Amino acid sequence: MTKAELLGLTWYDLDFGQEIISINHKITYTKVDGYYQFVLGQTKTVNGNREIPMLADVKDILLELKQAAGWAKISMIGKPELSVNDTRPFIFTNSKGKLIPQVTMEHLLQRIIRDYNKQNVDKIERATPHTFRHSFCCWLCENVAGENSMDDIKYIQSIMGHKDASTTLNIYSELRKNNAKDKHTALKLKARKA
């Protein structure tokens, strides 16, 4: 998900039985009429409206958050009209129940990295919330394998919400360049056997 999609997630967007997360809106913190405010809006593109798989670790964390937030016993039938003025359905709010600006998410991540680097020899050079999105796309490219590689790319494109498959292919080709040496070696071995 993008930062805006993640921060806009509500309990109504989660289907724990089917293990699906629906992405169908976003929250941005932007200047309107000279003042910053939260704005509920559509995803960036039509392809941004999508369903993504809820992986097991994510499901466990979301179930813990749901229990802690007091939503475990609330009926989830239907989806109410969302408003930035009623933050109760939103999963990610601050300790006062207010929505979180994207920049706050970025600052929190930088603080986590700084604290990690103070305590560990192996340092994290730089990471942003988008780094995780990019890394996940690479992970999908490495782990989604079927009969037809174009079907795989279209599947990954649908999960990522990329408008165009070329965006997905660019990430995939970047990953392939990094793995090219191993692939060259394997190809040479096959060629010798043939």
Side-chain angles (χ1 to χ4, degrees):
M1 288 176 265
T2 66
K3 293 176 289 188
E5 293 166 348
L6 179 68
L7 293 172
L9 268 186
T10 72
W11 295 113
Y12 295 98
D13 300 319
L14 308 180
D15 183 336
F16 289 102
Q18 297 291 318
E19 298 180 332
I20 294 290
I21 300 171
S22 289
I23 310 298
N24 50 50
H25 60 273
K26 66 180 182 177
I27 291 270
T28 54
Y29 190 65
T30 189
K31 203 177 237 186
V32 178
D33 297 329
Y35 298 97
Y36 280 95
Q37 60 188 18
F38 287 99
V39 176
L40 184 66
Q42 300 297 315
T43 57
K44 189 175 176 182
T45 66
V46 173
N47 289 359
N49 291 335
R50 62 201 187 278
E51 291 183 341
I52 61 176
M54 185 187 299
L55 303 179
D57 290 342
V58 172
K59 181 179 181 179
D60 291 344
I61 291 168
L62 288 170
L63 284 169
E64 285 178 32
L65 289 172
K66 187 176 182 185
Q67 183 72 32
W71 277 78
K73 295 180 180 175
I74 295 176
S75 172
M76 301 302 285
I77 297 172
K79 183 176 180 178
E81 186 71 31
L82 293 177
S83 166
V84 295
N85 297 321
D86 180 8
T87 62
R88 290 174 298 171
F90 291 92
I91 297 171
F92 302 107
T93 57
N94 66 20
S95 60
K96 295 178 181 175
K98 304 287 185 190
L99 296 173
I100 302 169
Q102 294 174 10
V103 70
T104 301
M105 176 195 252
E106 293 167 8
H107 289 151
L108 178 60
L109 178 60
Q110 294 313 311
R111 188 175 340 136
I112 291 168
I113 291 170
R114 194 171 43 248
D115 291 348
Y116 174 88
N117 286 343
K118 285 179 186 175
Q119 298 173 14
N120 295 281
V121 176
D122 294 328
K123 306 293 184 203
I124 298 173
E125 290 299 318
R126 186 174 184 278
T128 66
H130 192 77
T131 304
F132 295 107
R133 179 172 159 79
H134 185 83
S135 295
F136 184 68
C137 188
C138 289
W139 181 84
L140 284 171
C141 291
E142 288 178 333
N143 290 285
V144 172
E147 299 289 321
N148 181 333
S149 60
M150 276 314 294
D151 284 346
D152 295 344
I153 294 299
K154 294 301 277 181
Y155 173 69
I156 294 167
Q157 175 191 355
S158 73
I159 289 175
M160 299 303 297
H162 291 150
K163 179 179 178 181
D164 194 299
S166 65
T167 305
T168 310
L169 285 167
N170 287 338
I171 294 169
Y172 185 65
S173 65
E174 178 184 315
L175 182 68
R176 285 180 39 224
K177 284 179 197 170
N178 294 340
N179 296 334
K181 185 177 180 181
D182 293 338
K183 292 190 185 298
H184 291 329
T185 302
L187 187 60
K188 288 175 188 176
L189 286 172
K190 282 186 179 181
R192 280 190 212 139
K193 293 178 184 177

